[in-house]
Amino acid sequence: MSSAVSDVCAHAPLPAREGRVLVLLARTAERHPAGAALLRAAAGTVLGVPAEEVLVDREPSGRPVLGGAARGLHASVSHVPGLSAVAIGSRGPVGVDVERLRAVPAAALARRWFGAREAGWLAGRPEAEQPLQFLRMWTQKEAIGKVLGTGLADGGLLRPVRLGAPAGTVLGPVPGSPRFYIALPPAPEGFVLAVAGGPEAAGSRLEVLTVTPPPAALPDHGAACPSRSAESWAARTSGSEA
């Protein structure tokens, strides 16, 4: 384990800080870095125990399940080249999603995949702002899918999200969807990040830490839920899996 992750494990445990969700960010050049090691480090921080006392398993969908000292905590993971994100909380399921900020045909993608209200709202933004706003909506939908354990299946791209919400670290309500609460915490430059929770997590505050991932750990190829990039969705021509 790298010294940076060890330092994270040395932080004061979070249970005393009622209503907190830990979000651990790791800068990495790998597509699928050591997600299990990051989960153990994050859960160890929440509990104030060594990471080695945390066990990580997976549901059939790929959602991580914590055991050992972390049994009862909820976790989510997201990876893109350059950044991994882990969310850990105790107030019901959590979801996290990260995307690299990049040029995308935002208005066209929104018309194809999102509801009319969201597509219309995005079309009204300045053109230079549209990729960022599209990816903010996309990450929110992915994060909600991870709360549910279904990813973007079952109409996930049509679930309402917060439009134009500023960056923040408190899980706030989604207009028109009382089941979900979302925050868009500040992310490293060049990335977009969203965290979601269910009704139990309403008002929870995020605690965001950035670390260097453990270089010697074996890569963990699982993700919190089946996830699709915007480009892969754009390449599809029907509602079935490609």
Side-chain angles (χ1 to χ4, degrees), residues 32-40 56 58 77 79 84 86 218-222:
H32 292 292
L38 293 173
L39 275 170
R40 293 187 186 101
V56 178
R58 300 275 170 175
V77 183
H79 304 299
S84 291
V86 169
L218 293 175
D220 180 339
H221 294 282

Side-chain angles (χ1 to χ4, degrees), residues 47-220:
L47 296 168
V49 302
E52 291 75 13
E53 295 184 17
V54 176
L55 302 179
V56 178
D57 201 353
R58 300 275 170 175
E59 294 179 351
S61 67
R63 192 206 320 238
V65 177
L66 298 179
R71 185 178 303 275
L73 291 180
H74 301 270
S76 182
V77 183
S78 182
H79 304 299
V80 293
L83 189 69
S84 291
V86 169
I88 302 279
S90 60
R91 291 183 168 184
V94 294
V96 64
D97 192 65
V98 61
E99 288 280 349
R100 182 180 287 277
L101 181 59
R102 59 200 183 278
V104 295
L109 288 173
R111 287 194 301 271
R112 182 173 178 82
W113 299 116
F114 295 169
R117 173 176 173 268
E118 292 174 349
W121 179 86
L122 184 67
R125 303 302 98 196
E127 187 173 353
E129 181 187 330
Q130 289 180 7
L132 170 62
Q133 295 298 342
F134 172 83
L135 291 169
R136 281 184 168 178
M137 287 191 281
W138 185 277
T139 54
Q140 290 181 73
K141 292 173 188 288
E142 285 271 24
I144 290 172
K146 292 178 180 182
V147 172
L148 294 171
T150 61
L152 294 177
D154 301 324
L157 286 174
L158 297 177
R159 295 182 191 121
V161 296
R162 300 177 68 183
L163 301 179
T169 57
V170 176
L171 291 176
V174 177
S177 184
R179 298 174 58 195
F180 304 112
Y181 290 77
I182 287 178
L184 296 165
E189 184 176 358
F191 296 92
V192 180
L193 180 67
V195 179
E200 308 92 335
S204 295
R205 184 173 295 277
L206 309 182
E207 185 142 333
V208 183
L209 301 174
T210 301
V211 302
T212 301
L218 293 175
D220 180 339

Side-chain angles (χ1 to χ4, degrees), residues 210-236:
T210 301
V211 302
T212 301
L218 293 175
D220 180 339
H221 294 282
C225 281
S227 177
R228 306 170 179 85
S229 71
E231 286 82 2
S232 69
W233 272 94
R236 293 171 60 198

